[in-house]
């Protein structure tokens, strides 16, 4: 059987549709509907005159799927390439499910750590600091820092996936996201330290001399340490804020 | 005021879509949303002031797997609109600022409950989609996704209306009931909030190298800020 061609228009449609991977996020199949929706234009090309096989292919992609949405681009690209091979009779359809299940967990963990644990905090704190100069400057910094990397990973990940599972794995190695995660975490910590220093300097020191300033700094550092300990003991920020709200109400009551 | 609410619904709906269902371009972050809501309700700077603090507070809660973090977008809709109104009527003093930030936690938890509800309804949509595909209707996938997106968007618009309305009501009805002395007392808690935000970032970016770097930077910037304030 000859390899069915993927039209440029369909490839672009799959690329665009990846942004709606979580469009029907649900507790049962999670991103399953979004994934099937994203890959549908490619399936229509591959199984153009074979409705029964097209139906089976769509059902394959309605199975449970969940990963970090940006990293989903890589799996999506590789799945398109695998479907192309299945349509040409060169691969077993079960290989697609195995590939997706095998990769979604590990890529999810890498993506969560990089995007949610490092890049987003770094972009957020950079934006918050610059917003002290001008709100629009802060917003621009936040969006540019995050999306510069986010969109590049989506584009390159999808392209690497389209080279097939081997290309996807090769790109993952070259991207070295674990090293980049550590670098961004370090930057986020530096910026968060600056943020804490600015606000402690502004709010805690109201006159007084050097001893008062030093005491304020120590109190601020102790407060940060206490909050970090609480957050690491799975106390949520909401619970801390609720506690402070109750303290506030008690102050007003008094 | 009607056009302000209409704009809040439209922008809020878009930001809520960005939060989960579409793109994740960070248009839903509190800094963006609170600034937008501040601009819609008449004072962009006041909205941004709330956004700067809210931006970091919930970062420690990651949207991993099936866990849903508190709705910081909703907190920013509430805080941004409330700050804009409060700053034009009674002035955004430190006490009101603190009160709005603390009250936004109620909104964040309510938004989280709404998010959970949407995802439960989406289970039904996903099942119906799968059933239709079983019957041979491939296009049901597109309809299912559209239904999910619409549900996220409509819920976002409703939440934006409710939370901005709550923000306006709090600023017009609740805050003026407290005198300047009471609000000044409340402001004692204000320094804790940005420090909680910094702790939130630090706790999720913690590695072996970051502890020393975090506290050294904090001390250096603190010293610089204090010296600058003393010199002017």
């Amino acid at each position: 059987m000859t390899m069915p061609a993927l039209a440029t228009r369909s490839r672009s449609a799959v690329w665009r549709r990846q942004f709606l991977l979580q469009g029907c996020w649900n507790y049962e199949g999670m991103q399953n509907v979004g994934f099937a929706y994203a890959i549908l234009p490619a399936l229509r090309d591959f199984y153009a005159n074979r409705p029964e096989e097209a139906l089976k292919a769509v059902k394959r992609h309605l199975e449970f799927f969940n990963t970090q949405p940006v990293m989903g681009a890589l799996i999506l690209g590789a799945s398109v390439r695998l479907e192309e091979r299945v349509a040409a009779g060169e691969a077993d359809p079960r290989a697609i499910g195995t590939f997706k299940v095998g990769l979604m967990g590990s890529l999810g963990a890498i993506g969560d750590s990089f995007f949610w644990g490092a890049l987003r905090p770094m972009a957020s704190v950079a934006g918050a600091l610059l917003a002290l100069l001008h709100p629009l400057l802060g917003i621009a910094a936040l969006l540019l820092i995050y999306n510069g990397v986010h969109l590049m990973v989506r584009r390159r990940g999808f392209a690497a996936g389209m080279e097939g599972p081997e290309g996807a794995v090769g790109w993952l190695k070259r991207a070295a996201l674990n090293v980049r995660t550590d670098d961004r975490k370090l930057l986020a910590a530096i910026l968060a330290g600056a943020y804490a220093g600015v606000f402690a300097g502004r709010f805690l020191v109201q006159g007084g001399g050097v001893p008062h300033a030093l005491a304020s700094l120590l109190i601020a550092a102790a407060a940060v340490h206490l909050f970090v300990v609480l957050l690491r003991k799975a106390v949520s920020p909401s619970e801390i804020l609720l506690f402070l709200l109750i303290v506030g109400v008690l102050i007003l009551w008094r | 005021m009607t056009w302000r609410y209409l704009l809040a619904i439209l922008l809020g709906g878009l930001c809520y879509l960005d939060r989960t269902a579409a793109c994740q371009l960070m248009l839903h972050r509190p800094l963006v949303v609170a600034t937008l809501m501040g601009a819609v309700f008449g004072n962009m700077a006041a909205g941004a002031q709330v956004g700067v603090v809210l931006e970091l507070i919930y970062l420690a809660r990651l949207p991993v797997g099936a866990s849903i973090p508190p709705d910081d977008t909703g907190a920013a809709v509430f805080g941004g609109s409330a700050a804009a109104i409060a700053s034009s009527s009674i002035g955004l003093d430190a006490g009101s600022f603190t009160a709005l930030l603390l009250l936004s936690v109620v909104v964040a938890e309510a938004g989280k409950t709404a998010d959970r509800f949407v995802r439960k309804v989406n289970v039904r949509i996903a099942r119906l989609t799968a059933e239709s595909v079983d019957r041979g209707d491939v296009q049901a996938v597109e309809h299912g996704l559209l239904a999910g997106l619409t549900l996220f968007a409509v819920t976002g618009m409703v939440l934006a209306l409710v939370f901005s309305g709550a923000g306006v009501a709090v600023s017009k009805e609740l805050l003026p009931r407290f005198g300047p002395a009471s609000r000044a007392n409340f402001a004692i808690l204000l320094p804790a909030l940005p420090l909680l935000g910094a702790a939130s970032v630090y706790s999720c970016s913690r590695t072996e190298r970051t502890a020393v770097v975090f506290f050294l930077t904090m001390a250096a910037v603190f010293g610089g800020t204090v010296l600058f304030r003393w010199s002017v």
Side-chain angles (χ1 to χ4, degrees):
Chain A
M1 198 180 285
T2 53
M3 190 78 94
L6 177 67
T8 312
R9 190 168 42 86
S10 303
R11 185 188 160 124
S12 304
V14 175
W15 154 255
R16 283 195 308 273
R17 286 178 177 215
Q18 64 160 307
F19 288 96
L20 299 178
L21 185 65
Q22 304 205 115
C24 188
W25 201 103
N26 62 88
Y27 280 118
E28 222 168 66
M30 298 200 173
Q31 299 163 340
N32 62 340
V33 178
F35 197 93
Y37 170 79
I39 204 168
L40 196 58
L43 299 182
R44 281 185 176 136
D45 269 18
F46 297 150
Y47 303 100
N49 298 312
R50 291 178 282 168
E52 285 299 313
E53 287 180 53
L55 204 60
K56 280 183 192 165
V58 172
K59 280 185 197 171
R60 274 199 288 278
H61 294 290
L62 278 173
E63 295 290 318
F64 174 88
F65 182 77
N66 192 43
T67 192
Q68 206 279 338
V70 182
M71 303 308 283
L74 182 88
I75 302 179
L76 184 63
S79 299
V80 169
R81 191 54 71 206
L82 275 172
E83 276 294 350
E84 190 177 34
R85 289 178 192 169
V86 170
E90 293 174 4
D92 186 337
R94 284 173 297 186
I96 299 174
T98 312
F99 173 77
K100 280 169 69 180
V101 170
L103 220 55
M104 70 183 183
S106 49
L107 278 186
I110 293 170
D112 287 339
S113 177
F114 180 72
F115 285 99
W116 302 149
L119 182 65
R120 190 177 68 168
M122 189 192 85
S124 283
V125 73
L129 277 170
L130 286 171
L132 296 173
L133 300 175
H134 194 282
L136 297 181
L137 190 62
I139 290 173
L142 164 66
L143 297 180
L144 286 174
I145 291 172
Y146 184 83
N147 289 315
V149 179
H150 160 221
L151 295 175
M152 187 198 69
V153 171
R154 276 198 194 261
R155 190 173 63 80
R156 290 194 182 164
F158 184 74
M162 287 294 290
E163 289 169 20
E166 306 80 14
V169 173
W171 178 79
L172 265 179
K173 276 185 188 165
R174 287 194 304 278
L177 285 179
N178 54 339
V179 177
R180 290 169 202 257
T181 300
D182 281 353
D183 292 348
R184 274 153 187 83
K185 282 187 172 181
L186 186 65
L187 264 172
I190 292 171
L191 293 171
Y195 178 89
V198 166
F199 277 101
R202 277 172 72 170
F203 290 152
L204 283 176
V205 183
Q206 311 285 347
V210 173
H212 174 71
L214 278 176
S216 301
L217 176 62
L218 286 176
I219 289 168
V224 170
H225 182 70
L226 174 68
F227 288 142
V228 171
V229 169
L230 289 173
L231 292 171
R232 260 195 251 132
K233 287 190 182 296
V235 176
S236 81
S238 293
E239 287 165 339
I240 297 173
L241 288 177
L242 269 176
F243 173 75
L244 290 172
L245 183 60
I246 292 166
V247 171
V249 170
L250 291 175
I251 289 171
L252 286 180
W253 193 271
R254 184 176 62 89
Chain B
M1 203 63 169
T2 309
W3 71 267
R4 289 184 199 271
Y5 279 116
L6 286 174
L7 209 53
I9 290 169
L10 188 70
L11 293 172
L14 280 174
C15 294
Y16 265 109
L17 265 183
D18 181 70
R19 183 176 176 81
T20 306
C23 302
Q24 291 92 41
L25 295 172
M26 298 299 118
L27 300 175
H28 65 276
R29 295 303 305 157
L31 180 60
V32 180
V33 177
T35 307
L36 278 177
M37 289 299 149
V40 167
F41 286 94
N43 192 335
M44 183 176 80
Q49 200 180 339
V50 170
V52 163
V53 180
L54 278 179
E55 176 63 33
L56 306 188
I57 287 179
Y58 294 103
L59 276 175
R61 303 296 285 204
L62 310 180
V64 175
S67 77
I68 301 176
D71 178 12
D72 50 4
T73 305
V77 169
F78 168 83
S81 52
I85 297 293
S87 63
S88 56
S89 59
I90 53 172
L92 192 60
D93 57 284
S96 304
F97 184 33
T98 313
L100 294 180
L101 288 170
L102 290 178
L103 286 171
S104 71
V105 69
V106 180
V107 172
E109 289 302 313
K112 181 177 165 179
T113 308
D115 200 353
R116 197 174 287 142
F117 169 75
V118 169
R119 290 167 194 233
K120 279 182 184 165
V121 176
N122 276 347
V123 170
R124 181 88 185 118
I125 293 174
R127 279 184 194 160
L128 286 173
T129 304
E131 284 167 20
S132 299
V133 170
D134 281 340
R135 288 196 298 270
D137 179 11
V138 172
Q139 232 179 355
V141 172
E142 282 162 340
H143 297 153
L145 190 106
L146 188 65
L149 266 181
T150 308
L151 185 61
F152 270 116
V154 169
T155 310
M157 288 194 278
V158 171
L159 289 180
L161 175 65
V162 171
F163 293 160
S164 58
V168 170
V170 162
S171 289
K172 282 188 171 170
E173 305 297 331
L174 184 66
L175 295 181
R177 289 173 193 262
F178 298 97
S182 300
R183 291 204 296 271
N185 286 338
F186 209 75
I188 293 168
L189 297 169
L190 182 56
L193 300 175
L195 294 179
L196 174 60
S200 200
V201 174
Y202 173 54
S203 73
C204 63
S205 63
R206 190 176 162 272
T207 66
E208 286 170 7
R209 296 185 292 171
T210 51
V212 178
V213 167
F214 174 87
F215 286 108
L216 277 179
T217 313
M218 181 179 169
V221 174
F222 176 88
T225 308
V226 171
L227 284 176
F228 177 76
R229 289 187 62 194
W230 284 347
S231 67
V232 291

